[in-house]
Amino acid sequence: MGRGKGPAALCPLPQNYAMKTPIDLIVFDLDGTLVDSLPDLTNAANFACRSLGLPEHSPGAIQGMIGGGEKKFIRRFLGPEHQGHFEEAFRLYLEFYYSHCGELTRVYPGVKETLGRLAGKKLAVLSNKMERLSQRVVQLMGLAPFFAAVRGGDSYGALKPEPQGLMALIRELGAAPGRTLMVGDKPADVLAGREAGAHTLGVTYGYGNLDDLQAAAPELLIPSISELPDLLG
C-alpha cells in the first residue's frame, strides 16, 4: 500500500495528544479492523468457485475484493463472465463461511487489551458483513463481552459508506453523534462516520489502501489499535 499525502497524513501524534471532544460511544468496523478474516473469506470464496467449476483466487486477489457486503464480494469473485452463477454461489459461500468463519480468522494484536482499556466507554461493531455472520465471528473470537451491540450490513437496510446504519446504531444505543467515534480501515467507514456526524479514526494495518484511506480524511490515522485509548484523554 502506498503512502501518498493526504489530509490526515500518517505521522507521530504529539506526546500526550488527546481528542478535544469527549467520546461516549466507539463503533468499530470488523474485518480488517478488529479481526484478520482474510484466510476464512478466501477459503469460502474458493469453495464456492471450486464447487461451480470456476477459477479460484489468491488471498491477495480476495483482499482487493473485500468490502460492500456479501453480494458485492460474491459478484467480484465470480467475475463478469460468471454472474449467472450468482444465486448458487451466494448459497454455497454463506453455508461454508458460517460453518468455518472461526477456523483461520484471528484477532489483531492488541485488540483485546485495547477493548479492555475502553471498558468505561460504550462499544459496538458495525460491519457490512451480515449481522448473523458478524455476531458469529465476534462470538468465536471471544470479543462478544466487550460490545453493547454487533450489527451488520442487513441490520438497518444500509451499507457503509451510507450513514443511515451508523445513525440508527447511535440512536439505538442512546448516544449522540458528536460524542461517537467511528473506527475502521476503509474509506467507507470514514465517510459513514462523517456523514453521521461522528468523529472518525482510520487504522492503517487493515485491508484498505492507505492512499484511499488518507484521501477520505479521517480526523486521525493510527498504525496500531493499541494507540486508541490514549487518544481519548
Side-chain angles (χ1 to χ4, degrees):
M1 293 186 292
R3 292 196 173 188
K5 294 180 179 179
L10 184 61
C11 59
L13 293 168
Q15 191 172 12
N16 299 323
Y17 175 90
M19 294 184 66
K20 295 180 175 61
T21 305
I23 297 297
D24 301 323
L25 170 64
I26 305 174
V27 180
F28 295 89
D29 175 50
L30 182 57
D31 301 274
T33 300
L34 297 175
V35 302
D36 179 6
S37 53
L38 180 60
D40 283 324
L41 292 172
T42 300
N43 283 352
N46 283 337
F47 171 79
C49 289
R50 189 165 58 251
S51 299
L52 295 168
L54 303 178
E56 298 183 32
H57 302 280
S58 69
I62 290 293
Q63 180 172 325
M65 300 175 190
I66 295 170
E70 284 83 7
K71 290 183 178 180
K72 286 185 178 180
F73 179 51
I74 290 164
R75 292 200 181 279
R76 289 175 187 137
F77 72 64
L78 283 177
E81 68 274 26
H82 301 301
Q83 294 300 305
H85 293 289
F86 174 78
E87 294 298 334
E88 184 65 5
F90 188 70
R91 182 187 68 80
L92 290 165
Y93 171 82
L94 289 183
E95 288 180 359
F96 186 94
Y97 186 69
Y98 186 84
S99 298
H100 300 275
C101 62
E103 291 182 0
L104 299 175
T105 294
R106 296 291 180 267
V107 178
Y108 280 114
V111 164
K112 288 186 177 180
E113 295 81 0
T114 295
L115 295 176
R117 291 177 63 196
L118 296 171
K121 310 288 184 184
K122 191 169 289 186
L123 308 180
V125 170
L126 181 62
S127 174
N128 278 346
K129 187 198 297 288
M130 289 179 173
E131 181 176 297
R132 68 186 179 95
L133 299 180
S134 299
Q135 291 180 347
R136 182 164 174 79
V137 169
V138 168
Q139 182 70 42
L140 290 173
M141 294 298 106
L143 300 178
F146 293 108
F147 296 111
V150 177
R151 301 290 180 259
D154 57 343
S155 300
Y156 304 110
L159 295 169
K160 299 174 290 185
E162 296 300 322
Q164 290 88 344
L166 179 57
M167 293 167 68
L169 177 56
I170 292 170
R171 289 194 299 270
E172 180 183 333
L173 295 178
R179 295 172 71 100
T180 298
L181 177 66
M182 179 71 216
V183 180
D185 68 312
K186 291 284 190 75
D189 302 306
V190 176
L191 297 174
R194 182 181 304 121
E195 289 301 310
H199 297 277
T200 57
L201 184 148
V203 298
T204 64
Y205 53 79
Y207 302 149
N209 177 280
L210 183 52
D211 290 330
D212 294 340
L213 185 60
Q214 288 177 316
E219 294 171 46
L220 296 166
L221 273 175
I222 57 174
S224 170
I225 197 72
S226 301
E227 296 184 17
L228 175 55
D230 293 331
L231 300 178
L232 301 179

